[in-house]
Structures are given as structure tokens and as C-alpha cells.
Amino acid sequence: MPNFSDHADAVPAAKRETRVALLARRRALTAPQRAAAARLVQAELTGLVRRLRPTTMTGYVPVGSEPGGPDLPDVLRAALPAGADLLLPVLRDDLDLDWAPYAGPGTLVAAGRGMREPDGPRRGRAAITGATLVVVPALAVDRRGLRLGRGGGSYDRALARVPAAVLTVALLHDGELLAALPAQPHDRPVGAALTPSDGLRPLPTAAP
């Protein structure tokens, strides 16, 4: 396993190169491949939600080639118990994440970085601390649980607020659960990765 920490100055460049390669691989997926992957991810995640029955969980609206499909919030909302909240991220000007409950596709508006987010009342950055299941996007995750995002640091800030006992799940395409990723001290791990072919894979999360 490469020890990226021995070359701290090279880590940001290694992250950029890894992101470019992963995004190119995602863009190469055909529409039928993306749709098939989304169905498998949604089915596995629906089963997880129905088993855990969270009263509050977080999700997001996949865009472009992100796993899960654009209708993921509706699938999650349908799987939740009656009265439970699905919180979606709202990107702040400082690139941190606020949260707002999802009330249906007609309540989503375009936002920065290609995101779509709820237009309803925000609950504040700390709202994620009340979630009992946290679902996040990622470009890749490694076997230690370390996650590679798109580089804004938004989810690292949000994950730092999540209690250690809460299950955090990153959604991936096949081939994006890697042996090791370049990482920096601020990078936050996740507790599990979910891929179309292998389903939910618990991970021995790295120490923060």
C-alpha cells in the first residue's frame, strides 16, 4: 500500500490526478450502464433504510454520472418510515453544508457546482448531528474508509460533525473502492461503501 503521508507536498497533486482519472472513467459509462448501476445502488440502499428505520437521514441529489440516479431522493423518501426526515445538503457561500428537508421533486432548485437543493427552510450546519444514517457522494473510497471527494472540502466539514456511532455510507460505481488513496489530515473517513456489484461493504475507518 503506498504511503502518501511520506510525501505530503505531493498529496494535493496526487489527489488532482486521481480525480481526473476517476471522473474520466465515470464519463465513459454509457447511459444504460449508469441506469443499471443506479437500480442496484437504489435497491441496496432501500433495503438498508428499511432495516435501520432512521427518523432522520441525509442524502443528496446525484448529478451527471454520480451513482444512485437523479431520482435517489424520491427512492429514499419512499423507504423512510412515516414522519421521518430526509435532509439534503445546501451549499453555503463558505463551501460548508447546511441542510434542509426534502419535500418532493418540485421543491428542488439549481445551486452552485451543479447541485440541486431544497428551497425550503434550512436547519443549520449542525442538523447532520441528529441523523442516524448519513449517505454521501464520493469519487472513491479506500479500504481504510478514507474518502475522495471533488475537492471543496464540504463533506469533510460535514462528516466531522457526525457522531462516531452513526453509519456513514459513500455511494460508488464499481471499481471505485480502492486499495489506497492520497489523503491529508482533514480528510474524513466513512464507515461503509456501497457499490452496484458488491452492495454494502463495511470499512475499518481510519482514525481522524
Side-chain angles (χ1 to χ4, degrees):
M1 180 183 295
N3 188 352
F4 295 103
S5 63
D6 289 343
H7 307 282
D9 293 343
V11 170
K15 280 185 168 184
R16 287 192 295 272
E17 292 172 6
T18 304
R19 286 189 187 99
V20 168
L22 290 166
L23 287 168
R25 188 174 182 275
R26 283 188 175 185
R27 285 193 295 269
L29 294 171
T30 66
Q33 287 174 324
R34 293 178 189 179
R39 286 193 296 270
L40 291 170
V41 167
Q42 289 179 3
E44 184 75 17
L45 200 50
T46 294
L48 177 65
V49 171
R50 288 176 175 164
R51 289 195 302 273
L52 297 182
R53 297 182 59 80
T55 55
T56 300
M57 71 170 290
T58 73
Y60 63 98
V61 186
V63 295
S65 58
E66 287 185 329
D71 60 338
L72 181 63
D74 293 301
V75 172
L76 294 176
R77 188 168 176 240
L80 283 168
D85 281 332
L86 172 61
L87 301 181
L88 300 184
V90 178
L91 187 64
R92 292 162 45 100
D93 291 341
D94 62 2
L95 299 186
D96 206 338
L97 295 178
D98 206 323
W99 301 90
Y102 178 58
T107 65
L108 294 176
V109 295
R113 299 197 167 199
M115 295 173 60
R116 295 168 67 212
E117 58 191 32
D119 63 359
R122 301 182 183 187
R123 294 193 176 174
R125 292 174 296 178
I128 194 172
T129 64
T132 50
L133 174 61
V134 172
V135 175
V136 300
L139 290 177
V141 173
D142 72 16
R143 302 287 178 173
R144 302 166 293 172
L146 292 174
R147 170 189 168 275
L148 182 70
R150 291 180 178 265
S154 302
Y155 277 96
D156 288 318
R157 295 183 183 95
L159 287 169
R161 301 182 181 110
V162 178
V166 172
L167 178 60
T168 53
V169 181
L171 305 187
L172 304 172
H173 285 293
D174 290 336
E176 295 176 348
L177 180 56
L178 306 178
L181 285 167
Q184 294 169 286
H186 67 264
D187 291 325
R188 309 298 297 193
V190 293
L194 195 160
T195 64
S197 294
D198 293 333
L200 187 70
R201 179 78 65 88
L203 299 168
T205 54

